[in-house]
Amino acid sequence: MKSNNRQDIPRYYLIRIYLFSVMIYLMLILPVIMVLSLKVAPAIIEKRGGLLIRPGSDTIEILQKEINLDNAGKTLNIGRKRHGSYAQSDPITSDVHNNVSSGNSEQASPGKPMQAQKPSVFGLTFSLLFYLVIIFTPVFGLLINAPLKRFFNRKRKRKPVSERLLNYCKRLLLYTPYINSGILLLAMAVTHAVMFVKMLSADSFEDALSQNLFSQFFYVSLVASLLLVLFVFFWQKHRVQILYLEHVFSDEELYNRRKVFFNGKIQNRLLVSSAMTTLLPLTIVILYVILGLTPVKNLGPLSNEQAEIIVGPYKALIASARIDSAHQWDQMYYVNAIDNILMFTGIAMGILVALIYIVFFVRWTTASILRPVGELLANMRLTSGMQINNYSLVRSNDEIGELSEGYNYMTKRLVDYIDTISRMNEAYVRFVPRKFLQILGKDTFTDVRLGDQVQKEMTILFSDIRSFTELSEEMTPKENFDFINHYLGMMEPIIARHNGFIDKYIGDSIMALFGESVDDAVNAAIEMCNELRRFNEERKAIAKPAIDVGIGIHTGKLMLGVIGGKGRIDGTVISDAVNLASRIEGLTKIYGANIIVSEDSLFGLKDKAAYHVRFLDVAKVKGKRQTVHIFEVFHGDHEAVRVLKQESKEIFSEAVEYYMKNECDKAARLFGIVVENNPADKVARLYMERCIYYTAHGRQPEWQNSP
């Protein structure tokens, strides 16, 4: 889930969306309400007793003039026919005249009570709008959206959200634009259905004027309601896609388009935005223009004076065109004074609402495009910086959503591919050690080429299990593999901890290289001996025989490189030093020592006094003409054996000097003392037996210690 910081979690609101939409609705129907108030207010006041008609008053004079004009047949009827009836244009006298002529003249009598009037259709309509749109819609909307509001409140307060609430919000959130706008649509549909039924019934109105006004209000309100419902839908949709999705759904659920409910293309979205910002508000404007037009034919026969009033400054133009026939006047329209108010205020409100829609829809469209694109670009920059595990949230099902989903798919494939390559590299490193590549000056295995080589002085360590052939004969092939893998698995980390790497395994043997210091190789050998003792204790616990190893160490120059052919290459080390290290390891079987080092390795130690070392012999190994001075490092022996070897070190060294001088009888006596004090000293026992044999049979002058 996304960050739970309070400032990052938006508020979930609904009432302000409804209220702002209702405000736009009122702005669109305001011109009709204004004209309605001008035309029917005086009659309403009169009917309710607000207008007291007294003898000699101005109202009586107006009525008298109206009646006289009607009787004389000289009244200028500037009305128009709507739905088969004629409407009078005078805002006051027409309504009052209708009331008087319809039998309501008794209201003019002072002190006489009013007759009961049937409910006004306008009052019924406004009551429905109030109760359904202002009361029912917000209350019902809040009830349905209460879980989402509770969810976001708890998230903002950093309180835990139950799994049940989360799952319900996931199912509800994507449908809230349809639900919230649908509630409003239902309220408007019921209201306009009632209005339509009333409009078709002539009995619902007291006169033609009221019916005409109500029909105007119905058509304007119908188009305004459509704008109102769509505005709520797109506002809620914007907030869901841009603000709410990432806090309800997990990132993984938003990595593809299946979890996003809204479909469409950018082109369709722009067309919808254009229609909402221009076409529908323009429909309101056109509707008000149409409502403001009156056919001249509805006025009946016109005198010249009446025609001049209608034509105004265009009298001369009409005269020159000789428009005087009734048929020609029937084709013309005019706008009376009251309808001017309706038309111009309607146009003004339509333009104002269009501007409001433009501001909101430009903002919504921009955010729905720029934010996903910005997130996508940010993730691409991270990917280009080798931070590949970045995914983009899919907020829509349009081309940007498709692009984000494609990026996520590409990223997943890239992550999987790099993971595969990494695992392959790890596997390659197990065949060709990373330190080997570093010595060759290569970063990756793919950089290695046939013939790559480098010369370097290094310390070579050879390790071998003694008498492994006899030991393996008692095991099955699987047990052999399990045993070797277990043993090598213990030794490999030790070598790695001491800055070395294993060049190759040769059966049960290990060849390791150390490029930093000889101390690393010696310390690794000592720790290998200590680990072997713990391994033997485990074997004894399961009634298995203990094993022993011999370790030979030599330091010298060698060549590291890549050998092979086009189909198979291998990293290897070629050097006489490698052969010598292998021969020294073989001497451990003869002398019974666990660790033997050459003089080159001994002299390469930084602190010789830190190790328990004693001179062994001057050996001539197979394949070497020159002799090699070899030394035993008994630092890795069992503690009791190591202490005794350290105590007898001076006697042992003196005995070896006698041995080198061919004074075998003196050497045998001293070696005997060492063996008597330390029966586990295999080297001293070997020398003692040799001296006894040479004393009895003579020493061969060209005898060589070879493995």
Side-chain angles (χ1 to χ4, degrees):
M1 303 294 289
K2 290 293 180 185
S3 172
N4 287 333
N5 293 333
R6 187 180 180 88
Q7 61 272 20
D8 295 334
I9 300 176
R11 294 181 180 275
Y12 187 87
Y13 57 74
L14 180 64
I15 296 299
R16 68 184 66 181
I17 297 179
Y18 282 140
L19 293 180
F20 193 86
S21 302
V22 170
M23 183 188 71
I24 293 178
Y25 172 78
L26 293 176
M27 291 172 61
L28 292 174
I29 66 172
L30 179 62
V32 178
I33 296 176
M34 291 175 59
V35 174
L36 182 64
S37 64
L38 289 174
K39 290 189 175 183
V40 302
I44 294 175
I45 295 173
E46 179 189 352
K47 292 175 183 179
R48 295 185 179 182
L51 178 62
L52 297 178
I53 304 178
R54 298 182 178 87
S57 65
D58 294 337
T59 306
I60 293 297
E61 293 178 2
I62 294 173
L63 290 175
Q64 186 62 43
K65 291 179 181 179
E66 179 73 16
I67 295 171
N68 291 336
L69 287 173
D70 284 341
N71 292 333
K74 298 180 181 179
T75 303
L76 178 61
N77 296 317
I78 48 176
R80 59 188 178 276
K81 191 173 183 180
R82 290 288 189 269
H83 304 290
S85 63
Y86 288 90
Q88 302 295 329
S89 64
D90 191 304
I92 298 177
T93 59
S94 61
D95 285 340
V96 176
H97 175 72
N98 288 333
N99 291 329
V100 172
S101 62
S102 62
N104 294 332
S105 58
E106 64 270 23
Q107 293 181 6
S109 301
K112 188 175 181 178
M114 291 177 54
Q115 293 182 356
Q117 301 293 322
K118 57 183 177 182
S120 170
V121 68
F122 290 101
L124 175 63
T125 300
F126 288 121
S127 297
L128 282 174
L129 287 173
F130 177 79
Y131 286 110
L132 291 181
V133 178
I134 306 300
I135 303 298
F136 168 78
T137 298
V139 171
F140 193 56
L142 282 177
L143 290 176
I144 293 180
N145 290 267
L148 283 168
K149 195 169 185 65
R150 181 169 179 266
F151 173 86
F152 279 94
N153 286 339
R154 294 189 68 84
K155 294 281 285 186
R156 286 176 59 81
K157 295 177 182 179
R158 299 181 181 178
K159 293 183 178 180
V161 177
S162 66
E163 191 70 21
R164 181 180 179 183
L165 177 60
L166 176 61
N167 292 332
Y168 183 80
C169 290
K170 285 181 179 181
R171 294 192 298 269
L172 176 64
L173 180 65
L174 296 177
Y175 293 92
T176 53
Y178 298 92
I179 294 173
N180 296 336
S181 60
I183 295 171
L184 188 58
L185 178 62
L186 176 63
M188 285 298 184
V190 171
T191 302
H192 286 84
V194 174
M195 291 174 64
F196 183 74
V197 172
K198 292 292 184 180
M199 187 177 65
L200 295 180
S201 175
D203 297 337
S204 301
F205 303 94
E206 297 176 353
D207 49 45
L209 173 63
S210 299
Q211 187 175 10
N212 179 62
L213 289 173
F214 189 80
S215 64
Q216 293 179 13
F217 177 69
F218 173 79
Y219 293 120
V220 173
S221 177
L222 188 64
V223 178
S225 299
L226 178 61
L227 281 169
L228 172 67
V229 171
L230 291 176
F231 190 79
V232 171
F233 172 80
F234 285 108
W235 194 342
Q236 181 69 14
K237 175 185 175 182
H238 164 76
R239 292 191 65 83
V240 169
Q241 287 184 301
I242 302 302
L243 299 178
Y244 299 150
L245 273 181
E246 57 201 280
H247 299 287
V248 177
F249 294 92
S250 65
D251 290 348
E252 292 76 11
E253 291 174 310
L254 295 174
Y255 287 162
N256 55 69
R257 289 178 292 167
R258 290 176 297 176
K259 289 294 182 181
V260 181
F261 187 75
F262 310 106
N263 300 313
K265 301 293 183 181
I266 294 179
Q267 178 183 0
N268 297 336
R269 186 190 305 175
L270 295 177
L271 289 175
V272 170
S273 298
S274 300
M276 290 296 297
T277 55
T278 56
L279 184 59
L280 289 179
L282 182 61
T283 304
I284 289 288
V285 172
I286 295 174
L287 182 59
Y288 274 116
V289 171
I290 294 174
L291 293 177
L293 296 177
T294 300
V296 175
K297 66 180 181 180
N298 289 345
L299 298 177
L302 298 179
S303 65
N304 291 333
E305 293 80 5
Q306 293 171 340
E308 290 178 3
I309 293 174
I310 293 175
V311 174
Y314 297 99
K315 175 184 176 182
L317 180 63
I318 297 298
S320 63
R322 297 181 179 179
I323 300 177
D324 53 5
S325 67
H327 175 72
Q328 289 173 315
W329 282 110
D330 289 348
Q331 308 304 314
M332 295 186 179
Y333 293 86
Y334 81 103
V335 180
N336 62 46
I338 299 300
D339 288 332
N340 269 328
I341 300 174
L342 177 69
M343 184 172 65
F344 287 115
T345 54
I347 293 173
M349 289 298 103
I351 294 174
L352 180 59
V353 169
L355 293 176
I356 294 174
Y357 270 55
I358 288 173
V359 171
F360 276 89
F361 273 85
V362 167
R363 178 187 173 190
W364 296 340
T365 305
T366 302
S368 65
I369 294 176
L370 293 185
R371 179 163 180 179
V373 170
E375 293 174 345
L376 188 59
L377 289 176
N379 288 325
M380 286 181 176
R381 292 190 189 99
L382 293 174
T383 301
S384 64
M386 298 308 296
Q387 300 180 35
I388 59 171
N389 198 14
N390 299 289
Y391 294 88
S392 185
L393 300 184
V394 180
R395 299 182 181 275
S396 63
N397 272 0
D398 54 18
E399 290 85 351
I400 297 177
E402 186 177 358
L403 181 63
S404 298
E405 187 180 44
Y407 169 80
N408 293 338
Y409 178 74
M410 179 196 70
T411 299
K412 185 178 183 304
R413 291 290 301 271
L414 186 60
V415 169
D416 293 342
Y417 177 76
I418 292 178
D419 181 63
T420 301
I421 294 298
S422 299
R423 286 187 282 108
M424 289 177 63
N425 285 336
E426 291 296 327
Y428 288 145
V429 166
R430 298 171 72 179
F431 288 95
V432 180
R434 195 179 303 277
K435 286 185 177 294
F436 184 91
L437 297 177
Q438 293 173 354
I439 294 172
L440 286 178
K442 307 296 182 181
D443 294 328
T444 63
F445 184 81
T446 56
D447 296 332
V448 175
R449 296 292 182 270
L450 184 64
D452 289 340
Q453 57 184 290
V454 65
Q455 182 175 340
K456 184 177 179 65
E457 182 174 285
M458 303 185 73
T459 300
I460 306 100
L461 180 149
F462 265 93
S463 171
D464 182 64
I465 300 177
R466 294 173 183 169
S467 303
F468 178 72
T469 302
E470 292 82 358
L471 183 65
S472 63
E473 290 176 352
E474 301 177 359
M475 296 184 290
T476 65
K478 183 180 183 306
E479 290 174 339
N480 266 306
F481 268 92
D482 293 341
F483 170 77
I484 292 176
N485 287 331
H486 184 59
Y487 166 74
L488 297 177
M490 292 189 304
M491 300 305 170
E492 187 271 335
I494 296 173
I495 294 171
R497 280 198 298 270
H498 292 280
N499 305 312
F501 66 92
I502 296 175
D503 178 70
K504 59 175 61 71
Y505 296 109
I506 310 170
D508 61 305
S509 300
I510 298 174
M511 174 184 170
L513 301 176
F514 297 84
E516 297 185 15
S517 69
V518 180
D519 298 72
D520 289 335
V522 175
N523 290 333
I526 294 171
E527 187 174 348
M528 289 170 69
C529 292
N530 294 333
E531 184 67 24
L532 183 65
R533 279 196 299 274
R534 288 190 289 271
F535 178 63
N536 284 330
E537 291 175 0
E538 295 176 2
R539 288 181 61 80
K540 290 179 180 178
I542 58 175
K544 296 289 184 179
I547 62 172
D548 201 1
V549 298
I551 300 174
I553 299 174
H554 176 61
T555 303
K557 291 184 178 181
L558 44 80
M559 292 292 297
L560 287 89
V562 180
I563 61 173
K566 291 183 179 180
R568 175 75 164 85
I569 62 174
D570 193 13
T572 189
V573 178
I574 300 175
S575 173
D576 184 60
V578 176
N579 296 328
L580 181 55
S582 176
R583 301 304 180 188
I584 292 174
E585 183 275 321
L587 292 176
T588 60
K589 300 176 183 179
I590 297 175
Y591 289 96
N594 290 326
I595 304 173
I596 297 179
V597 301
S598 67
E599 57 183 332
D600 293 330
S601 295
L602 182 66
F603 295 152
L605 291 172
K606 297 177 181 178
D607 185 8
K608 302 178 184 64
Y611 303 95
H612 298 296
V613 182
R614 63 184 182 181
F615 175 74
L616 278 187
D617 202 352
V618 178
K620 185 178 181 181
V621 298
K622 185 185 296 184
K624 293 284 294 184
R625 294 182 179 180
Q626 297 179 349
T627 57
V628 180
H629 289 73
I630 57 176
F631 299 82
E632 179 191 15
V633 178
F634 57 90
H635 204 101
D637 290 358
H638 192 277
E639 184 178 2
V641 177
R642 183 176 68 246
V643 171
L644 293 175
K645 282 186 177 182
Q646 184 64 27
E647 292 177 353
S648 61
K649 182 177 178 180
E650 294 184 1
I651 300 175
F652 181 86
S653 298
E654 184 179 357
V656 171
E657 290 181 6
Y658 283 124
Y659 176 80
M660 294 299 174
K661 296 176 182 178
N662 206 16
E663 298 179 6
C664 293
D665 53 343
K666 295 180 179 179
R669 181 177 58 83
L670 294 176
F671 283 127
I673 296 174
V674 173
V675 172
E676 184 179 357
N677 293 331
N678 185 11
D681 192 340
K682 298 178 181 180
V683 178
R685 183 179 298 279
L686 173 65
Y687 269 114
M688 182 185 69
E689 292 174 354
R690 280 183 183 176
C691 291
I692 294 173
Y693 179 84
Y694 294 154
T695 301
H697 302 89
R699 184 175 182 179
Q700 299 177 3
E702 295 184 356
W703 184 91
Q704 58 183 1
N705 297 325
S706 59

